[in-house]
Amino acid sequence: MKNVILTGDRPTGKLHLGHFVGSLTQRVMLQNSGKFEEIYIEIADAQATTDNADNIEKIRQNIIEVALDYLACGIDPKKSTIFLQSQIPELCELTFYYLNLVTLARLQRNPTVKQEMKQRNFEKSIPVGFLTYPVSQAADITAFNANIIPVGDDQLPMIEQTKEIVRTFNNTYGKTLVEPTAVLPENETCCRLPGLDGKAKMSKSLGNCIYLSDPPEEIKRKVMEMYTDPNHVKVSDPGSTKNNPVFIYLEAFVTDEHLKKYLPEYKNLEELKNHYEHGGLGDVKVKKFLNDVLQEILAPIRKRREEFQKDIPEVYKILYEGSKKARKVASETVNKVKTAMGINYFEDTELINYQIEKFQKNK
Ligand code: TRP
């Protein structure tokens, strides 16, 4: 079996550090490992319409931002196919048939969808398209025969739903679709990076993000204003490193080389944490260190982004070519699906011959 990766993002804003540690780094690593025959990165603009039907302009504006963030992080269009979901009508076709293999109750149980419904005040009146987007995500995945799906842990319910659809489809119509496996980031801290305010998740709607494209002054300002342990008032006070986003970020980003370069008096992160917990280490010093580390990581990304920004038509061309290639693969899957279901009437000579005979007999 071929090893095929598919993953993607809704283009509702620029990508931030949460995306970076939660999936982008992993994708680039997998891309460059050479272990995958095909890699598809989807800009899920159609999925983004399911909760932005009244604000398509936001999606229109952000497609290019997400594409630039991908390219800046090292997604290489020669190795990975970046495409626009809305340009692959075959995905709608698959969704339409998969919808019959899922119950309403099953969709209503999806924990990620439930949480998103709460955030969007959809509980009283939910758009049907939004409730069913996990089915369309199953179409995204299966259309490309993807077996490896690198995602953050909030996407696990979608992969589970996809597996169920694949099994039901294959049991009902014969083995056709490939069952996917989710791959989470190795470092657990990276699965869900908290926001700058210490809230559960870095998220654009909460306004607690550092964006990959933020200028250096902005990154510094945001880091220096970060929430820390509210009981750590004086430098001499013992502080908590748990639920302290500054330390969680250090956990996610710092390497031994960073420590050697910026804080050589500490052998490792454990020592720094111990010092903070015992008192005598101020927030400003820790935040300055975090700022140094983030500046070092983000500078080359920002520089690459600026290069790609100089040739926007080229970026659109990458998306166009990627979508064309993706469409070809998706249409092969649709053919297989329709053949398995027996709705490929015009190619079905057996059916046609049967009908011929049936009506000859009736004569
Ligand atoms: N649901 C994902 C998100 O909100 C985006 C997405 C769409 C996706 N289709 C996908 C992710 C297929 C992985 C695989 O970010």
Side-chain angles (χ1 to χ4, degrees):
M1 196 178 71
K2 269 200 295 198
N3 276 319
V4 180
I5 288 181
L6 180 128
T7 185
D9 301 277
R10 293 182 202 167
T12 51
K14 297 175 180 186
L15 302 182
H16 51 62
L17 284 182
H19 297 111
F20 182 71
V21 290
S23 65
L24 291 171
T25 313
Q26 170 114 339
R27 286 180 201 175
V28 173
M29 201 184 70
L30 294 171
Q31 169 194 270
N32 296 337
S33 74
K35 286 189 192 144
F36 298 89
E37 275 95 336
E38 288 164 42
I39 302 172
Y40 297 94
I41 314 279
E42 175 183 89
I43 299 185
D45 62 330
Q47 188 177 107
T49 69
T50 66
D51 62 339
N52 288 288
D54 56 354
N55 193 4
I56 304 295
E57 190 58 28
K58 177 165 86 182
I59 301 165
R60 271 161 57 83
Q61 294 300 329
N62 281 301
I63 285 169
I64 196 82
E65 300 283 356
V66 171
L68 285 165
D69 284 329
Y70 285 166
L71 296 166
C73 284
I75 304 269
D76 175 357
K78 288 198 199 77
K79 298 179 186 160
S80 300
T81 304
I82 309 174
F83 70 95
L84 283 180
Q85 185 187 18
S86 63
Q87 303 308 299
I88 323 290
E90 286 77 9
L91 298 175
C92 301
E93 251 185 294
L94 292 176
T95 304
F96 192 72
Y97 298 118
Y98 295 172
L99 280 167
N100 304 322
L101 309 176
V102 179
T103 65
L104 183 58
R106 175 64 184 87
L107 289 172
Q108 286 167 331
R109 274 203 307 275
N110 185 311
T112 299
V113 173
K114 268 200 215 162
Q115 198 194 5
E116 289 172 324
M117 275 167 61
K118 227 185 254 161
Q119 284 166 355
R120 290 160 178 73
N121 280 326
F122 276 167
E123 281 154 309
K124 287 219 174 69
S125 172
I126 177 151
V128 173
F130 185 77
L131 184 70
T132 57
Y133 89 71
V135 181
S136 124
Q137 194 158 330
D140 299 343
I141 293 169
T142 53
F144 301 96
N145 306 305
N147 58 338
I148 302 290
I149 320 297
V151 280
D153 63 355
D154 62 322
Q155 295 300 303
L156 290 178
M158 311 307 156
I159 314 303
E160 203 44 50
Q161 177 73 79
T162 304
K163 285 185 188 185
E164 288 174 30
I165 289 173
V166 168
R167 286 180 204 145
T168 309
F169 189 99
N170 288 348
N171 284 337
T172 313
Y173 305 116
K175 191 161 173 11
T176 313
L177 303 174
V178 176
E179 207 176 296
T181 308
V183 178
L184 296 175
E186 273 167 30
N187 180 342
E188 235 177 88
T189 327
C190 292
C191 259
R192 190 161 296 194
L193 200 69
L196 297 168
D197 52 2
K199 295 241 172 71
K201 204 176 156 185
M202 190 173 274
S203 118
K204 188 176 48 79
S205 50
L206 297 174
N208 59 6
C209 308
I210 292 179
Y211 293 98
L212 299 177
S213 48
D214 275 348
E217 322 76 73
E218 184 97 353
I219 298 170
K220 179 154 190 208
R221 184 184 60 77
K222 287 178 176 174
V223 171
M224 297 317 281
E225 284 172 7
M226 268 177 85
Y227 175 88
T228 63
D229 173 6
N231 298 317
H232 185 246
V233 185
K234 283 183 284 170
V235 172
S236 55
D237 289 340
S240 167
T241 58
K242 280 211 188 79
N243 303 322
N244 182 334
V246 175
F247 280 91
I248 298 174
Y249 286 19
L250 290 178
E251 205 72 69
F253 293 102
V254 166
T255 61
D256 289 347
E257 284 79 61
H258 291 135
L259 265 165
K260 228 184 256 162
K261 189 160 160 195
Y262 300 111
L263 282 182
E265 62 268 41
Y266 298 93
K267 266 206 234 57
N268 50 41
L269 208 50
E270 268 330 286
E271 264 189 29
L272 188 76
K273 277 167 119 181
N274 271 332
H275 193 178
Y276 191 83
E277 282 165 6
H278 285 97
L281 177 57
D283 280 324
V284 171
K285 184 167 173 179
V286 187
K287 284 179 172 177
K288 279 196 170 142
F289 175 47
L290 175 62
N291 176 59
D292 286 335
V293 171
L294 292 180
Q295 297 288 359
E296 183 175 327
I297 294 173
L298 293 176
I301 296 176
R302 194 172 44 242
K303 208 166 142 234
R304 270 200 301 273
R305 199 184 205 272
E306 282 160 9
E307 283 306 309
F308 283 108
Q309 278 168 209
K310 288 182 192 153
D311 195 356
I312 293 299
E314 174 60 22
V315 180
Y316 275 108
K317 188 161 166 248
I318 290 170
L319 298 179
Y320 175 76
E321 296 295 339
S323 302
K324 206 161 87 176
K325 185 172 161 203
R327 187 166 184 195
K328 217 167 137 230
V329 179
S331 94
E332 282 163 22
T333 303
V334 166
N335 281 341
K336 271 197 271 178
V337 158
K338 289 175 104 171
T339 304
M341 291 174 72
I343 56 174
N344 58 331
Y345 313 111
F346 303 128
E347 287 137 38
D348 193 343
T349 43
E350 204 179 315
L351 173 73
I352 296 171
N353 287 335
Y354 179 84
Q355 299 300 343
I356 294 169
E357 265 177 49
K358 186 172 91 187
F359 288 103
Q360 274 171 350
K361 263 189 230 139
N362 284 352
K363 251 201 300 188

